[in-house]
Amino acid sequence: MACPSDHKATIIDGKAVAQTIRNEIAAEVHHLSQKYGKVPGLAVVIVGSRKDSQSYVSMKRKACAEVGIKSFDIDLPEEVSEAEVVCKVHELNANPDVHGILVQLPLPKHINEERVLTEISIEKDVDGFHPLNIGKLAMKGREPLFLPCTPKGCIELLSRSGVAIKGKKAVVVGRSNIVGLPVSLLLLKADATVTIVHSHSHDPESTIREADIIIAAAGQAMMIKGSWIKPGAAVIDVGTNAVDDKSKKSGYRLVGDVDFHEACKVAGCITPVPGGVGPMTVAMLLKNTLDGAKRTLES
């Protein structure tokens, strides 16, 4: 995706960066296979038949195949009991060929998400959402075994684009457990001065305008206008919002939380939607699985 002709911003190509990372992972998987006769294994658990979940899961399984990670497919029916899901997680915890366990969210209403996620062994928590991993992330001088994939991808995009974080003002828009909260903790670990803007914040515009780094993860289509962005700021847009577009065959197009067209004229660098953060999330999941396998095999 190109910026308009009068643009200043460099486009951060998440697809290309993710492909580079996948190539690095494939080489390491090959090395493990040669040295130990084993490859990393990722178990993906999906409950029910939500279309969006199904497509995310098939993307993850395809990505595993591409880098040589063995995929364990656990497809459970919508009406499965919570106890059966927990039992399946325990089985995977005990399986030495599985180095990472991912439970695709959201789970059906009758299943307690927190209970299921807490049952995943911390050594196999490649999504990085176990309370112990998040707790360590929040504490100075502690290192979680795994970092959540999307936040990790955001930081990786900044560092591979040459954006310095230390001492910079970073504003995170959104405070979800999946992105906003953990990415703010990661920025803090990297010595940024961090502000979180959320639905109850007064005058988000003036706060965002001071940011050297903006991580937009609010789930509000084109909420952040070009005029809200400090000239030269780095903008990472995590939002994926469908907006009506009659010119598209599907009847909609995907946009981020930032008005890309306007932001291009002001920002120093910016991720497009799609093709920015999305591919990085899957690449980081593969990297976490590889790291889990290395910890087990090399210990």
Side-chain angles (χ1 to χ4, degrees), residues 141-159:
R142 307 282 169 88
E143 287 304 322
L145 287 177
F146 298 104
L147 298 173
C149 302
T150 301
K152 185 177 180 172
C154 293
I155 303 298
E156 192 74 25
L157 282 176
L158 289 170
S159 70

Side-chain angles (χ1 to χ4, degrees), residues 260-291:
F260 183 78
H261 194 86
E262 282 185 18
C264 275
K265 300 172 189 171
V266 213
C269 57
I270 185 168
T271 58
V273 176
V277 175
M280 291 297 292
T281 299
V282 180
M284 294 299 107
L285 173 65
L286 301 176
K287 179 82 172 77
N288 278 352
T289 305
L290 169 69
D291 290 346

Side-chain angles (χ1 to χ4, degrees), residues 227-242:
S227 60
W228 296 22
I229 295 166
K230 176 177 169 178
V235 180
I236 304 290
D237 193 349
V238 186
T240 311
N241 310 288

Side-chain angles (χ1 to χ4, degrees), residues 10-29:
T10 302
I11 306 297
I12 300 172
D13 186 346
K15 234 178 189 166
V17 176
Q19 194 54 58
T20 302
I21 292 168
R22 282 177 175 200
N23 295 344
E24 294 165 4
I25 292 167
E28 285 206 62
V29 168

Side-chain angles (χ1 to χ4, degrees), residues 221-268:
M222 301 199 290
M223 164 194 162
I224 298 166
K225 307 298 173 201
S227 60
W228 296 22
I229 295 166
K230 176 177 169 178
V235 180
I236 304 290
D237 193 349
V238 186
T240 311
N241 310 288
V243 296
D244 292 338
D245 185 343
K246 297 284 181 284
S247 71
K248 299 277 186 213
K249 204 165 84 175
S250 60
Y252 68 89
R253 66 192 160 92
L254 293 178
V255 299
D257 289 352
V258 178
D259 187 323
F260 183 78
H261 194 86
E262 282 185 18
C264 275
K265 300 172 189 171
V266 213

